[in-house]
Amino acid sequence: MIAALDEIHVHSRPSLVNRSRAPTSVDSATEQRPDHALMLAVRDGELDALGELFERHHGPLFGFLFKLTANRPAAEDIAQTVFQRMLKYRHTYRDDGSFTAWMYHLARRCASDHFRKANAAPHATDPVDLHEHADDAPHAAHTATTRDDHALLRTALARLDHDDREVLLLARFQELSFAEISGILECSVGAAKVRAHRALAELRAIYFRLSKQAASSE
Amino acid sequence: MNCQRARDVFPELLDSRTAATALLEARTHLANCPDCQREFATLSQTAAALDAMPTPHPSPRLRQNFYAMLEEEKHSAASVRVVAAREERARRASLWRWVLSPLVACALLLLGFLLGKRAVPAASSMAPGDDTTKRELVALREQMAQQTAQLNKMTQLVGYSILQQQQNPANERLQDVLLAAKAETPSEKVIDDLIQALTLDPSANVRLRAIEALYAHVERDVVRAGVIAALPREQNPLVQLELIDFVATAQDHNATPVLEKIAADEATNVTVRDAAKLALAQL
């Protein structure tokens, strides 16, 4: 019976093992210091250690922000702000802290500030964005995007509620434990798990709906 | 277990880190329930598609902006104060070490002497002709001689390190660098010392000799990273020219942001700026 279950493929998360780049500073070239030790060094005035942390984490951080915002320049600006705040608020980093959890906590705040500012600024509606609204009739541009599976999923992710998208991306990609995610989202571990699962179920519903629409329009 | 309870365990089953330890009961239910299998399969498919979604790389602008911001922060008044305080703490710690290490060495010597005193009467009181005891005594003496030699060596090393840090005149430090340069296959420690001399030594001559010595090891990542790290800190135009020449020879693209900054900095010596521009063109 259990063997039958094994046939249902459980997809593992993408490994982020290779995300660390070659060390660039003299200290870390001789020995790989853990993130926490590097951030403590930054807090104590060794600012060059932040360069090492940047090299290790800016790729995954940018990836998270790109998927969250679906906007490359915005993701870069927010990533830049995250490292700026790490420098500015380095004295608040705690001895018992987790660097990755702290970084995504800052990233979440920076993204939220970015969206608030973007929403406050008046802007003209881009016709390309109109497919984001609920509409049963398939849009021409929409049909074009759904031809590609990744584009389809990107569209589904963009249609997901911001909070759902955020928890799903944190849970799926960032190698964070649910304890850390619950700390970032300021909720209980159980609530974080439930939210992540509901978000995945919601994404599935949108994704399959879009797939059907794409299939019927072809 | 019913379907609802089994589905509550789906988050654990969908997470590769917890799938193996998820409730056996839920796994058993899933293996037997077609409805739950369909539900799980579609969730798993969505999760797989999400995991496989490609992410573009950030543009080089992100790295450039970050390092520019880091340099700016390093030169801000608050950071300079923190660094000065850190150096002061390190200097005090070093002074304490200088005072304490001879005391510790003396205490260890005294301890060795007392132990020796206790061992000798025991040896003299043994019965003559007892071969086993004689051999033990010889072994004990050899051990003590080794420990004393080791202690002397340690004391010399501590003393050497302190002298190097605080009292060695520039020409002696220069000799050290020249000696290190002669080694054909230097250890990591020697390379570290050369990089440290290049980065921290107050004498421009010592720094020049250090960079010359490091040319032989340009293929090592740590050497290139050390030179790139030393470049923005260097104020002496002669040494700056040598460092720029080094990174141009090394063809290390990591040096580009630093070179761009030097080339754009109007406060920098014109020859140095020209050399930086030339090096950028070569890179």
Side-chain angles (χ1 to χ4, degrees), chain A residues 167 171 178-179 181-183 185 187-198:
Chain A
V167 69
F178 270 102
I181 294 171
S182 67
L185 300 177
C187 64
S188 69
V189 174
K193 278 186 185 176
V194 169
R195 282 173 62 183
H197 188 62
R198 278 186 189 158

Side-chain angles (χ1 to χ4, degrees), chain A residues 35-152:
Chain A
D35 294 344
H36 181 61
L38 284 169
M39 193 58 222
L40 287 177
V42 173
R43 190 187 70 181
D44 294 340
E46 190 192 325
L47 299 191
D48 282 332
L50 193 66
E52 179 81 24
L53 288 168
F54 173 83
E55 295 301 341
R56 283 184 198 177
H57 293 283
H58 79 276
L61 177 69
F62 171 78
F64 166 72
L65 292 167
F66 177 76
K67 287 184 181 114
L68 190 68
T69 61
N71 181 330
R72 192 190 175 109
E76 281 189 5
D77 286 348
I78 299 168
Q80 178 75 32
T81 313
V82 171
F83 284 100
Q84 216 166 13
R85 290 198 187 174
M86 278 183 196
L87 264 184
K88 190 174 175 186
Y89 300 115
R90 59 186 183 268
H91 59 277
T92 65
Y93 187 73
R94 297 201 316 262
D95 287 334
D96 59 345
S98 150
F99 173 75
T100 322
W102 188 59
M103 181 174 75
Y104 284 103
H105 171 78
L106 290 177
R108 189 172 170 251
R109 291 282 169 92
C110 294
S112 145
D113 288 352
H114 173 86
F115 286 123
R116 201 170 48 245
K117 277 182 198 162
N119 289 338
H123 60 278
T125 305
D126 185 344
V128 176
D129 292 336
L130 288 175
H131 74 275
E132 294 295 330
H133 297 289
D135 183 4
D136 289 333
H139 191 281
H142 176 202
T143 310
T145 38
T146 52
R147 280 180 192 147
D148 176 55
D149 261 4
H150 292 315
L152 192 71

Side-chain angles (χ1 to χ4, degrees), chain B residues 63-82:
Chain B
R63 182 178 276 112
Q64 283 164 11
N65 290 348
F66 167 76
Y67 281 105
M69 175 192 76
L70 191 62
E71 280 302 310
E72 198 178 317
E73 180 66 22
K74 273 157 68 179
H75 293 103
S76 75
S79 297
V80 169
R81 270 201 304 277
V82 170

Side-chain angles (χ1 to χ4, degrees), chain B residues 7-62:
Chain B
R7 287 176 191 195
D8 288 344
V9 189
F10 278 7
E12 275 80 21
L13 286 171
L14 285 163
D15 189 330
S16 58
R17 294 173 299 182
T18 52
T21 54
L23 272 181
L24 183 67
E25 237 183 315
R27 293 163 65 92
T28 313
H29 174 88
L30 185 55
N32 290 306
C33 175
D35 283 346
C36 286
Q37 279 175 14
R38 266 194 298 278
E39 172 78 6
F40 185 79
T42 52
L43 281 171
S44 181
Q45 197 183 335
T46 311
L50 189 61
D51 291 348
M53 204 166 96
T55 309
H57 291 290
S59 72
R61 190 179 64 99
L62 181 62

